[in-house]
Amino acid sequence: MVAFALTASVTTLVMPVQSQADASSSEPARTVHPAAPHPGPLTWTACGDESYPRLQCASVKVPLDHHRPRGRQITLALSRIPHTSSTFQGPLLVNPGGPSSGLSLAGFVASALPVDVAAQYDVIGFDPRGVGSSEPALDCKPGYFDPVRPDPVPRSAGEEQVHIERARSFAKACGSKYADLLPYINTISVAKDLDVIRAALGAKKINYLGYSMGTYFGAVYARLFPQRVRRLTLDSIVGPTAVWHDHNIRQDYAFDARHKAFAAWVARHDDVYHLGTDPTKVEARWYRMRADMRSAPAGGKVGPFELEDAYLAGAYYNGYWPSMADAFAAYVNNHDTTRLVDLFEELGAIDSEGANSYSVYSAVQCRDAPWPRDWRTWHRETSKVYARAPFQAWNNAWYNAPCAFWPVKSLKPLNVANAKIPPALLVQATDDAATPYKGALEMHRLLPASRLVVEEHGGNHGVSLYNGNPCIDKYLAKYLATGALPRGGPGPDAICQALPDPEPTDTPAVKDRAIGSEAGVRAALRRR
């Protein structure tokens, strides 16, 4: 679609005045602050289920404002799979990104690691501030993602203005409901929370495994508390110099590339899907299907916005490709919309958990770092991206658009360069779209003692333990068991080949994937 000239009806925004709360937390903790009351011993209670029967739960109080440690306290929810070995290597804190609930991740990691390795750690999950079972939990505007939303690609200034007002209303709702909380929902505060958790666990140091946005949490923690880091693993790495505006622009191009990879995979299996053998023509058919959704949403639920959200799942995990291709082929070949509706409900629909995650995602990203406050900048940048990478350009812009109106002033990102921590393990797939490969190279450079293990030609988001790649998992297990890492160098320090793409017959029920930048929200990849 041809971009249109922006008219004066699109409002130029003004930076809000910094609040008193902003002033108290605008500098990312380079000074020493009064110590918070030492958290008492945690009380763990059984909370296991059929999947993770040994799971235990607890909670800990942390200061809302770490600059005022004896002021208002909030509650963080924790989970644990306790160690069973006589060799105890301390707590292993795990985070799935999002920001979203990490309570079940403790059970997953403990069960996915080799038994003898997991037995040496207390695997600790947690819900970051504002998330899930932590209190208070955010939900700025219930129903914000209810279908059918307007087509994300505007055909006129008026259509664009509709989306602008939606984003403005979300930001206003957040400010109205959570004015007292928003200044303190940010990565710096999460990192300081981690150190309160460490103290509550009675540990001098922590081990940490973070995925996606959790990699940034871990890197910031390591910068603030390098003496508290024992082992640090970052998987699917946020580019630390691109937080957060530039990171999302990088995503746009990478998401489009993964969508093209999906079209090429469908073309290779024309004998099954009958959508053609030319990837370019297959992709064109997908865009024609998308255009149809604008005038006639599938099942009254799936318009262009919902369709893009459902198919975004394939950019995170190629295991969804067979189900996505089935729904695509059913519509094109048989005019059957039922599978599109099912696909959206499984992969794209945002439930209450997703609404909570999106609210915290917005609060963190808008607070962590500056965003353009003049909508003309957003329009110009998005139009440029859309001309080259149309799949998610406008969708991603609207996803982050509340930051243009955010009621709390943004902080300056912390420089995470760090030569004070022990060698860290970095894991990255070269074709990951949610956290593009460039970010891993940046992190590798900023953590000079780190080692980068790459899944060559891998496109899934979240590599270790989730994809079943024995080469990758071997490096993680060895590092956690002994601290051993491959020899260092300027580029990747070890390379593992990606597993083959799925076959069309690989159509199990949609698989939960508890990791991903904004994956659980952006693609409703239920985590968690």
Side-chain angles (χ1 to χ4, degrees), residues 166-405:
R166 287 188 77 251
R168 191 198 308 271
S169 71
F170 185 87
K172 182 178 180 180
C174 285
S176 297
K177 293 178 72 172
Y178 305 115
D180 57 333
L181 299 177
L182 293 186
Y184 312 107
I185 307 295
N186 56 73
T187 295
I188 294 289
S189 295
V190 171
K192 293 180 178 181
D193 291 344
L194 289 177
D195 207 54
V196 176
I197 294 172
R198 174 202 58 77
L201 293 169
K204 292 183 178 180
K205 297 184 178 184
I206 66 167
N207 308 279
Y208 182 87
L209 167 60
Y211 295 89
S212 193
M213 201 178 203
T215 65
Y216 189 59
F217 294 163
V220 170
Y221 178 82
R223 174 70 182 197
L224 295 179
F225 305 100
Q227 74 281 11
R228 301 298 190 187
V229 176
R230 183 173 180 268
R231 288 178 190 155
L232 177 70
T233 302
L234 308 179
D235 185 321
S236 302
I237 298 161
V238 169
T241 66
V243 175
W244 287 104
H245 169 267
D246 291 353
H247 173 76
N248 279 275
I249 297 294
R250 291 179 185 178
Q251 280 187 332
D252 293 341
Y253 292 103
F255 282 143
D256 193 78
R258 286 304 288 166
H259 191 59
K260 285 179 168 57
F262 164 67
W265 179 85
V266 172
R268 289 198 300 273
H269 295 289
D270 179 60
D271 58 323
V272 177
Y273 301 114
H274 310 297
L275 292 169
T277 58
D278 182 340
T280 301
K281 292 181 178 179
V282 170
E283 188 180 22
R285 280 189 154 189
W286 188 90
Y287 280 104
R288 286 198 295 272
M289 177 176 70
R290 184 197 183 284
D292 291 346
M293 299 300 107
R294 180 180 171 101
S295 57
K301 291 184 177 181
V302 183
F305 221 138
E306 290 74 28
L307 188 76
E308 287 182 355
D309 284 355
Y311 278 81
L312 178 62
Y316 284 90
Y317 177 52
N318 64 2
Y320 298 134
W321 287 2
S323 296
M324 291 163 50
D326 282 343
F328 181 16
Y331 177 80
V332 172
N333 297 327
N334 301 313
H335 307 290
D336 179 1
T337 63
T338 58
R339 295 190 190 182
L340 285 177
V341 173
D342 290 344
L343 191 77
F344 166 69
E345 291 179 345
E346 292 170 335
L347 297 179
I350 302 298
D351 58 12
S352 59
E353 181 183 355
N356 166 239
S357 292
Y358 178 69
S359 295
V360 182
Y361 167 91
S362 299
V364 170
Q365 297 229 344
C366 299
R367 178 64 165 150
D368 268 2
W371 291 78
R373 291 283 181 159
D374 185 336
W375 188 260
R376 290 173 295 188
T377 302
W378 290 73
H379 176 87
R380 182 174 61 252
E381 290 177 339
T382 306
S383 298
K384 179 181 177 181
V385 174
Y386 181 77
R388 293 178 53 193
F391 174 54
Q392 284 289 314
W394 280 104
N395 190 313
N396 207 10
W398 299 126
Y399 195 82
N400 294 284
C403 291
F405 306 90

Side-chain angles (χ1 to χ4, degrees), residues 99-124:
S100 55
S101 174
L103 299 184
S104 66
L105 187 64
F108 171 79
V109 169
S111 63
L113 285 170
V115 173
D116 60 328
V117 176
Q120 298 176 40
Y121 289 92
D122 284 348
V123 184
I124 308 293

Side-chain angles (χ1 to χ4, degrees), residues 11-32:
T11 306
T12 299
L13 305 180
V14 179
M15 182 77 75
V17 177
Q18 186 177 19
S19 68
Q20 182 177 358
D22 292 334
S24 71
S25 57
S26 59
E27 181 62 25
R30 293 189 178 90
T31 56
V32 177

Side-chain angles (χ1 to χ4, degrees), residues 81 94 130 134 159 164 170 227-228 277 317 364 415 421 520:
I81 298 290
V94 296
S134 291
E159 290 188 2
I164 291 170
F170 185 87
Q227 74 281 11
R228 301 298 190 187
T277 58
Y317 177 52
V364 170
N415 180 357
I421 59 171

